Amino acid sequence: MTYFRFNMAASMACQAAVRGLRAASTKQLLGSRNQLARVSPRRWLNLQEYQSKKLMQDSGVTVQRFFVADTASEALEAAKRLKAKEIVLKAQILAGGRGKGVFDSGLKGGVHLTKDPAVVGELAGKMLGFSLTTKQTPKEGVKVKTVMVAEALDISRETYFAILMDRSFNGPVMVGSPQGGVDIEEVAAATPELIFKAANQIKRLYDLFLKVDATQVEVNPLGETPEGQVVCFDAKINFDDNAEFRQKAVFAMDDTAESDPLETEAARHDLKYIGLDGNIACFVNGAGLAMATCDIIDLHGGKPANFLDLGGGVKENQVYAAFKLLTADPKVEAILVNIFGGIVNCAIIANGITKACRELELKVPLVVRLEGTNVQEAKRILSESGLPITSATDLDDAAKKAVAAIAKN
């Protein structure tokens, strides 16, 4: 491949996007004066490594021969069927750093090489059914339910290659580096001269990128064997959620076992939910308003328990579903509703709130701030409901009242 020098600022922006799309990993999303609130977002569809490799394989991209196993005996049989000189066994979880991870079985490392198929069975027995903790998993780790048994190949040269959507370029960007198999962000920071923009399309990977409506196709490393064969050794693909209607086969592979059940349930109702560590539930429309609400709560000494984004075209049943989700969280001691009705009809929100309060028999304090479309009708609905709902004049007032409500209890 021929490479041209890639502008450092652009490369860092691209890699920030790459990192941002690794939704399976635990991230620090919201800062406060005293501490950071840990969240585990699941916004984009993420596939296991073997699923990404299968998509690549189906598109004519060269990957290692591999099998998938759910039991130690299946892993042993797979290792025998490969008839390879050397075998690599990889735990399948939606988190990076597997090679340096630790299992609660005592086994160190989620990636192992061996020439003996019998050893594959033994190692798989110490992986499957046990939790693997890495730098990207929660403290308790993630339970491994599947392992990939693959042919190990010698690599004479490693490179990094990715195609990703980048806003600054208004479309997909190809990013490459002669240093593969390492943390690409570290390469960008320490040796920016080693980051390049590909000139020639890597056709099959790009065709795959377009075919599956990907937001990222990352291969690290893209390696060359001593025989000159170019192989995608490790693959990561992220997808555009908005394309689910035409990518049903891809989205059917979604495994929600590693996801927060509340986030999974929210997605079923077209709601965006992210769990936090506090006790004041935030019920908003729009990510920016959600962030502002969390910040104002923190400013007044409170801690947000989540943010739940209704989005634009909200319906009454979604409001009900949202309250059901919020009250299912045992940490929640108060709920703050902060809606700015542009395309959202505040009266719909008000009707949904009153229905939820009555049918769910809401037990925690509820503070509501509504502004925008049909707000006077919404306020009338709330005031005539006879329910113990505290109205707020603005966001600052709402946050103060939510924090004070918890203090009273």
Side-chain angles (χ1 to χ4, degrees):
M1 292 182 291
T2 302
Y3 293 97
F4 291 99
R5 187 172 301 279
F6 189 27
N7 176 272
M8 175 56 183
S11 71
M12 290 299 290
C14 289
Q15 295 316 313
V18 171
R19 178 64 74 189
L21 290 169
R22 289 174 181 156
S25 63
T26 298
K27 302 184 189 306
Q28 301 291 340
L29 180 65
L30 298 172
S32 73
R33 295 166 296 172
N34 302 315
Q35 65 179 34
L36 288 173
R38 185 173 66 84
V39 300
S40 301
R42 182 191 169 275
R43 187 62 196 103
W44 292 275
L45 167 69
N46 283 283
L47 300 183
Q48 300 284 3
E49 178 190 358
Y50 76 89
Q51 294 172 315
S52 295
K53 284 189 171 179
K54 180 65 167 59
L55 287 176
M56 289 184 169
Q57 194 176 56
D58 291 346
S59 293
V61 177
T62 303
V63 298
Q64 299 152 279
R65 293 186 298 121
F66 70 91
F67 295 104
V68 175
D70 299 326
T71 66
S73 59
E74 287 180 5
L76 174 60
E77 288 304 310
K80 291 178 179 177
R81 286 170 62 194
L82 279 174
K83 297 180 180 178
K85 293 180 180 178
E86 192 169 23
I87 303 158
V88 58
L89 178 68
K90 305 178 82 172
Q92 298 295 288
I93 63 170
L94 296 174
R98 290 172 295 172
K100 296 180 180 179
V102 179
F103 286 89
D104 56 5
S105 66
L107 180 67
K108 293 183 178 180
V111 179
H112 286 267
L113 286 166
T114 180
K115 296 181 179 179
D116 185 353
V119 174
V120 171
E122 294 172 10
L123 290 170
K126 296 177 182 179
M127 291 183 178
L128 292 163
F130 294 97
S131 293
L132 174 61
T133 302
T134 78
K135 62 182 180 180
Q136 291 188 3
T137 64
K139 291 181 180 178
E140 65 274 16
V142 175
K143 183 171 288 189
V144 174
K145 298 182 179 179
T146 305
V147 294
M148 184 176 73
V149 184
E151 177 184 27
L153 298 172
D154 292 329
I155 304 176
S156 59
R157 186 167 67 95
E158 291 187 352
T159 61
Y160 171 92
F161 181 77
I163 308 170
L164 60 147
M165 298 300 292
D166 188 282
R167 189 181 299 274
S168 63
F169 286 87
N170 296 318
V173 169
M174 293 184 182
V175 181
S177 170
Q179 284 196 7
V182 297
D183 190 324
I184 192 64
E185 286 85 357
E186 291 181 8
V187 175
T191 53
E193 69 278 3
L194 294 180
I195 302 294
F196 301 92
K197 177 181 178 182
N200 297 331
Q201 292 184 357
I202 301 182
K203 189 175 185 304
R204 288 176 179 174
L205 283 171
Y206 188 67
D207 287 346
L208 171 65
F209 180 87
L210 297 177
K211 183 172 72 175
V212 299
D213 287 298
T215 55
Q216 169 196 326
V217 173
E218 181 184 39
V219 182
N220 189 21
L222 177 64
E224 183 180 350
T225 69
E227 295 76 27
Q229 185 182 32
V230 176
V231 180
C232 294
F233 283 93
D234 203 347
K236 177 69 174 175
I237 307 177
N238 291 126
F239 305 86
D240 184 350
D241 278 355
N242 296 313
E244 181 176 0
F245 73 97
R246 65 183 179 202
Q247 297 293 345
K248 295 189 182 301
V250 172
F251 278 78
M253 292 189 282
D254 190 14
D255 182 2
T256 60
E258 295 181 31
S259 303
D260 183 330
L262 290 177
E263 294 177 15
T264 302
E265 180 64 16
R268 285 203 321 111
H269 299 281
D270 293 324
L271 302 170
K272 304 173 187 70
Y273 177 94
I274 294 180
L276 304 175
D277 292 334
N279 55 3
I280 299 178
C282 302
F283 177 27
V284 301
N285 63 316
L289 193 59
M291 298 291 283
T293 304
C294 290
D295 285 344
I296 296 295
I297 289 173
D298 178 75
L299 180 66
H300 290 293
K303 292 179 64 181
N306 66 275
F307 73 69
L308 191 150
D309 179 7
L310 277 172
V314 64
K315 298 177 181 178
E316 193 175 310
N317 65 320
Q318 288 176 292
V319 178
Y320 179 85
F323 266 81
K324 197 170 181 180
L325 284 166
L326 296 177
T327 54
D329 185 349
K331 301 193 309 296
V332 170
E333 297 179 30
I335 297 175
L336 192 163
V337 176
N338 183 27
I339 300 294
F340 185 82
I343 58 175
V344 172
N345 187 328
C346 289
I348 292 176
I349 301 294
N351 282 323
I353 289 173
T354 55
K355 178 184 177 183
C357 287
R358 291 191 178 101
E359 296 187 12
L360 298 174
E361 298 180 352
L362 190 66
K363 299 292 195 300
V364 298
L366 172 62
V367 179
V368 177
R369 179 254 182 168
L370 298 173
E371 288 295 342
T373 303
N374 216 5
V375 68
Q376 294 306 321
E377 173 65 10
K379 289 180 178 180
R380 184 194 65 77
I381 292 169
L382 294 180
S383 65
E384 295 179 1
S385 69
L387 295 167
I389 299 172
T390 302
S391 295
T393 56
D394 55 34
L395 176 52
D396 190 66
D397 182 45
K400 286 179 182 177
K401 287 178 175 176
V403 172
I406 289 178
K408 286 181 182 178
N409 291 344

